[in-house]
Amino acid sequence: MRISARGAVCAAAVGAALFFLACSGASEGEEALRAATATKAPSRTPAPLATATLEPTPEATPIPSPEPSPVPPVDTPATQPTPALDPAGVPVIELLPPDIGQGECATIRLWGRGAASASATFAGRLYPLVADGGYFWGVLATGAFQEPGVYPVTVQLFHASGGLFETLETQINVVDIQYAVENIDLPPESSSLLTPELAQQEEAIRANVFALFTPQKLWSGPFIYPVQAVIVSPYGIGRSYNGGPVTGYHHGVDLAGNEGDWVAASNSGRVAYAGPSPIRGDTVIIDHGVGVFSCYSHLSAMNVQAGQMVNKGDLIGAVGSTGMVTGPHLHWEIVVRGVEMDPIPWTLQTIGP
């Protein structure tokens, strides 16, 4: 069994998460709502808690102005060698890395051999691939509750007419991260708000946004922390409510903050949504292309609007306590094709070519 470095980071921040729940309040509402509609989720064994805190990656100081920014630069693909071919001449699919932990991603890349378009299917989700010269590439994602094991990846290449050109197969190994579990005791007044109707409203808003696909990489380099603050609740913690079974997990990272603290775009892209959400409160969602989105929730102010282009470090809003929370903080997510991922690995390296 392998535990990734990012998994260790999550475990190290759990102690801070529990402190935050006692003092400023984590965004337990969104996960509790999932408990109201969940059927069955895998149980988890609590991992040892650590007391270390994670210092955020330094970020560019946001400009104190909501003025629209120019179209962000798009990375120029570097010249890379053609993937090796097997004796039959079929292109080899590259997966980097071939083993990923729950909540992590892999970049898929292959030589297209003249195909007009391509897509990959992994863990029941369709991932359109982006043309890059003679190559196609994309990002495959897993969530914290993805069952460990070896999964097939099917790649289909298509003619310009839409007809199937070729089908290729590979596989990817998903490794158990062993996220910690925490119990949240909800008072009766909070429990009464956990209705399936609110959960459905929230999911409908997000599903409409994440269905968008921009066939272009709009981000550049590693992502940055949207606020200069410590992590008070890491990604992936299993959530138990009022002593019940684990029915959900923390879909993002909670960053400490005071009401009104500036929130910056973690990378360049186009604003896909800026508005209210029943659980996450006032939320800004940025489309970074290739099915990748970043989300900023519980805001007290939103300084951008849908369709606006932003650059890494631009001011997009302010920390708040809107939605189902018990104190001001920023809930930050990376979502790929509807799968909520741990945003921290995205700050440590450049994902994609």
Side-chain angles (χ1 to χ4, degrees):
M1 179 179 63
R2 179 182 73 89
I3 299 180
S4 71
R6 192 219 20 85
V9 168
C10 291
V14 172
L18 298 180
F19 169 80
F20 176 69
L21 287 170
C23 298
S24 59
S27 55
E28 65 270 13
E30 59 262 31
E31 303 310 332
L33 272 172
R34 288 186 179 274
T37 57
T39 56
K40 181 178 180 182
S43 61
R44 291 186 174 273
T45 302
L49 302 183
T51 57
T53 58
L54 178 65
E55 292 298 330
T57 303
E59 61 178 350
T61 302
I63 58 172
S65 168
E67 292 299 322
S69 302
V71 176
V74 178
D75 287 353
T76 300
T79 301
Q80 301 187 31
T82 302
L85 302 181
D86 68 14
V90 177
V92 175
I93 301 173
E94 298 178 333
L95 282 173
L96 299 174
D99 296 343
I100 58 176
Q102 297 160 310
E104 296 178 347
C105 69
T107 300
I108 184 171
R109 182 174 179 269
L110 71 149
W111 180 249
R113 294 202 305 149
S117 62
S119 65
T121 302
F122 165 62
R125 290 181 183 269
L126 180 67
Y127 294 82
L129 302 183
V130 176
D132 180 8
Y135 294 90
F136 291 102
W137 74 279
V139 180
L140 308 181
T142 63
F145 268 8
Q146 184 75 51
E147 286 290 339
V150 177
Y151 289 80
V153 178
T154 302
V155 176
Q156 291 186 312
L157 303 172
F158 299 94
H159 294 286
S161 63
L164 182 62
F165 180 82
E166 192 168 18
T167 298
L168 306 172
E169 298 283 345
T170 188
Q171 60 186 28
I172 192 167
N173 184 35
V174 178
V175 179
D176 190 357
I177 292 298
Q178 295 186 344
Y179 290 107
V181 174
E182 64 180 350
N183 179 69
I184 297 175
D185 292 319
L186 295 176
E189 57 270 22
S190 296
S191 299
S192 65
L193 299 175
L194 306 180
T195 65
E197 290 75 19
L198 284 181
Q200 292 169 3
Q201 292 175 26
E202 178 102 333
E203 289 305 312
I205 292 172
R206 291 167 66 84
N208 286 336
V209 174
F210 300 144
L212 302 173
F213 186 83
T214 300
Q216 182 183 26
K217 180 187 175 189
L218 302 179
W219 76 90
S220 177
F223 282 55
I224 62 173
Y225 281 68
V227 296
Q228 294 180 347
V230 297
I231 295 174
V232 291
S233 183
Y235 170 89
I237 291 180
R239 292 284 173 83
S240 166
Y241 296 94
N242 297 329
V246 175
T247 55
Y249 66 92
H250 196 207
H251 289 164
V253 166
D254 286 346
L255 297 170
N258 297 316
E259 191 89 13
D261 287 350
W262 290 350
V263 174
S266 56
N267 217 313
S268 303
R270 178 183 293 105
V271 177
Y273 181 81
S277 181
I279 303 169
R280 289 168 173 83
D282 288 347
T283 296
V284 170
I285 302 177
I286 299 176
D287 176 8
H288 301 286
V290 199
V292 178
F293 297 82
S294 61
C295 309
Y296 314 80
S297 299
H298 307 309
L299 300 175
S300 62
M302 295 176 288
N303 289 25
V304 292
Q305 57 186 359
Q308 179 178 334
M309 303 301 298
V310 294
N311 284 321
K312 184 190 304 186
D314 280 355
L315 171 65
I316 61 172
V319 172
S321 54
T322 57
M324 287 189 170
V325 297
T326 57
H329 68 280
L330 178 69
H331 179 73
W332 177 39
E333 299 174 85
I334 295 290
V335 181
V336 178
R337 297 296 289 165
V339 179
E340 294 95 348
M341 300 182 56
D342 187 354
I344 303 306
W346 291 72
T347 69
L348 304 177
Q349 61 183 321
T350 300
I351 305 295

